[in-house]
Amino acid sequence: MLTKLSFSEPPVAGAENSKWPAGSELVGIALEVQAPQPYLLDPHYAKGLHAWFLGEVQQMDPQLSAYLHDGESEKPFTLSRLMGPFREQGGRLLIPPQIPFRWSITALNPQVVEWLREWCRRLPPWLELRGSPLQILGWKVSAPPRTYRQLLEQPLVRRSWSLSFVSPTSFRHRGHHLPLPVPRNLFHSYLRRWNDFSGLPIEVEPFLDWVDGEVIIQRHRLESVKTTAGRQGSVTGFIGCVQLAVSSRAPELLQQQLQALIHLAPYCGTGHKTPFGLGQTRLGWLAEELPATPVLCREEQLARRIEELSALFLSQRQRQGGSRAEKTAQLWATILARREGGESLQQIAADLEMPYETVKTYAKLARRSLQSGSQDYSSSSLP
């Protein structure tokens, strides 16, 4: 996503460690990277960033890596997509050479914070994004080291706050995407992470019921976008800014908890798929830093094609309904849409973590179904 960025001073690896106290539970860093030559990125490059990060963790701490990869709780980290002055070529993002870009990582529990501290002391020289290795120039702290108690106990200074969503943001709601910053959904998103990691639990339903009745949207500037995220499928999300306010009659404890969750947002992100670059959130009204729509072109085209094919394949079933049918339709749509975009079956199989022959078979079935308009794939099996 395109975001204006400026390192006021050239970041130097390790220079920020003296400002990073032991015992911190939250932190955000930004790496400065650059391409040695022009690169065209595929729309799924965020998955490559995610895989590279987990690979770095695995090399230093296999046990932590297993938890990050397989843990069923909330993920204790977020990753942005690359931020910088992208160009566009043939509907794809092009990284120009020798121009700094930014990649942000946040940590949400002490284990990941400590790992990140050690990692920053001995940064690798290259970010090995498949087919597009990026030189790592340095890093700096982008969200200061904090504890959850510090967020909760900071003085109440206002009853109105602005949040900016600088990458596509979405919530899961009744089996669909909800591309709107409804206050209850916003704070449910933050509350899940807070209760999972803080050790200072907030009772969920009473708090969210209060948010429903007392937190209002004073103004907003929003735009809906479609994007790709994770292994397959598309996501309908929003980017933009929102200003929230609460009545002065609200109990001080609830206001304190609300403020703490708002200040948690830049660390934990908003909504789902935050480890794949969605839901990047900043404090303040930062309309001038929002993504420029043209660079979303190829990604949005792919997302729309996946959605179109998913609906078509699902409608061709002789027996409608069921999550299995939806998953199969989405898988076929993802494979076929990416194949239409020129990606190789080998690359698609690697990204989906599926056997090549299985992906090849699904591509044939999807193409045949698209051509015939009547194929029933109810008996096809998911991997």
Side-chain angles (χ1 to χ4, degrees):
M1 302 302 108
L2 176 61
T3 302
K4 294 178 182 177
L5 65 136
S6 175
F7 284 90
S8 57
E9 299 177 0
V12 179
E16 295 285 346
N17 279 316
S18 61
K19 304 176 185 177
W20 192 329
S24 299
E25 299 171 331
L26 297 154
V27 75
I29 69 165
L31 300 186
E32 188 177 275
V33 301
Q34 71 179 17
Q37 62 189 55
Y39 292 136
L40 283 173
L41 293 180
D42 70 68
H44 294 267
Y45 80 88
K47 187 175 183 296
L49 293 172
H50 180 267
W52 184 80
F53 173 76
L54 290 183
E56 289 293 301
V57 178
Q58 201 279 332
Q59 289 182 34
M60 289 178 58
D61 190 336
Q63 186 175 356
L64 178 59
S65 174
Y67 165 62
L68 297 184
H69 193 274
D70 302 323
E72 295 182 359
S73 64
E74 298 291 330
K75 299 299 184 185
F77 69 96
T78 75
L79 305 174
S80 76
R81 300 184 181 188
L82 296 175
M83 298 171 284
F86 283 111
R87 298 173 188 167
E88 186 179 357
Q89 181 173 310
R92 295 176 63 183
L93 296 181
L94 183 142
I95 303 181
Q98 308 303 323
I99 294 179
F101 277 66
R102 185 175 182 177
W103 183 45
S104 297
I105 304 169
T106 66
L108 307 177
N109 71 10
Q111 294 85 358
V112 182
V113 169
E114 186 57 29
W115 178 88
L116 205 57
R117 182 215 294 264
E118 293 302 314
W119 184 68
C120 286
R121 287 175 174 164
R122 41 186 170 177
L123 276 179
W126 293 89
L127 194 170
E128 298 292 346
L129 191 59
R130 185 184 58 198
S132 309
L134 302 172
Q135 184 181 9
I136 298 176
L137 303 177
W139 67 279
K140 67 178 293 183
V141 170
S142 57
R146 291 286 185 269
T147 66
Y148 286 91
R149 186 168 294 279
Q150 285 173 336
L151 294 187
L152 185 61
E153 294 180 349
Q154 60 190 331
L156 275 171
V157 295
R158 62 181 66 185
R159 291 190 297 272
S160 176
W161 305 267
S162 294
L163 292 171
S164 295
F165 309 98
V166 299
S167 73
T169 304
S170 185
F171 307 96
R172 294 296 293 172
H173 181 69
R174 297 179 181 176
H176 301 282
H177 298 125
L178 177 64
L180 287 172
V182 178
R184 185 183 183 97
N185 294 87
L186 283 176
F187 288 99
H188 190 203
S189 170
Y190 307 144
L191 196 53
R192 291 200 320 269
R193 279 85 163 190
W194 179 277
N195 282 348
D196 223 27
F197 302 124
S198 72
L200 303 166
I202 298 171
E203 198 171 354
V204 176
E205 288 306 319
F207 181 81
L208 293 180
D209 287 343
W210 173 76
V211 166
D212 251 350
E214 297 295 333
V215 178
I216 62 170
I217 296 177
Q218 289 186 314
R219 62 171 178 151
H220 64 80
R221 182 182 299 176
L222 301 170
E223 180 182 355
S224 62
V225 294
K226 286 190 179 294
T227 187
T228 55
R231 294 186 182 180
Q232 62 188 61
S234 62
V235 173
T236 302
F238 62 89
I239 56 174
C241 308
V242 65
Q243 182 174 320
L244 305 169
V246 65
S247 166
S248 60
R249 301 186 304 273
E252 184 173 338
L253 175 60
L254 291 174
Q255 291 190 60
Q256 203 87 35
Q257 292 170 337
L258 186 81
Q259 178 178 260
L261 294 179
I262 287 172
H263 284 268
L264 177 65
Y267 297 95
C268 71
T270 303
H272 66 155
K273 296 188 180 295
T274 53
F276 293 94
L278 300 193
Q280 288 281 302
T281 308
R282 306 286 183 263
L283 294 177
W285 187 276
L286 306 176
E288 72 282 357
E289 296 189 17
L290 295 178
T293 302
V295 302
L296 300 175
C297 180
R298 171 60 184 147
E299 188 173 333
E300 187 161 358
Q301 286 177 355
L302 178 61
R304 291 185 182 278
R305 182 57 172 163
I306 290 173
E307 184 177 62
E308 174 188 323
L309 290 172
S310 295
L312 174 63
F313 293 148
L314 190 60
S315 72
Q316 291 173 349
R317 286 210 55 185
Q318 293 177 2
R319 294 181 296 278
Q320 295 293 321
S323 60
R324 185 180 181 82
E326 292 181 1
K327 289 179 180 178
T328 305
Q330 189 174 75
L331 178 58
W332 282 22
T334 299
I335 293 170
L336 185 56
R338 293 182 64 173
R339 193 73 186 96
E340 289 175 344
E343 294 184 64
S344 69
L345 289 175
Q346 290 89 344
Q347 180 178 345
I348 297 170
D351 278 351
L352 297 180
E353 298 179 3
M354 293 173 56
Y356 168 78
E357 290 298 329
T358 302
V359 171
K360 182 178 179 181
T361 298
Y362 283 7
K364 288 181 179 179
L365 291 172
R367 190 175 292 108
R368 188 182 307 154
S369 182
L370 182 63
Q371 292 170 349
S372 68
S374 61
Q375 175 74 24
D376 174 23
Y377 55 89
S378 58
S379 61
S380 67
S381 60
L382 288 170

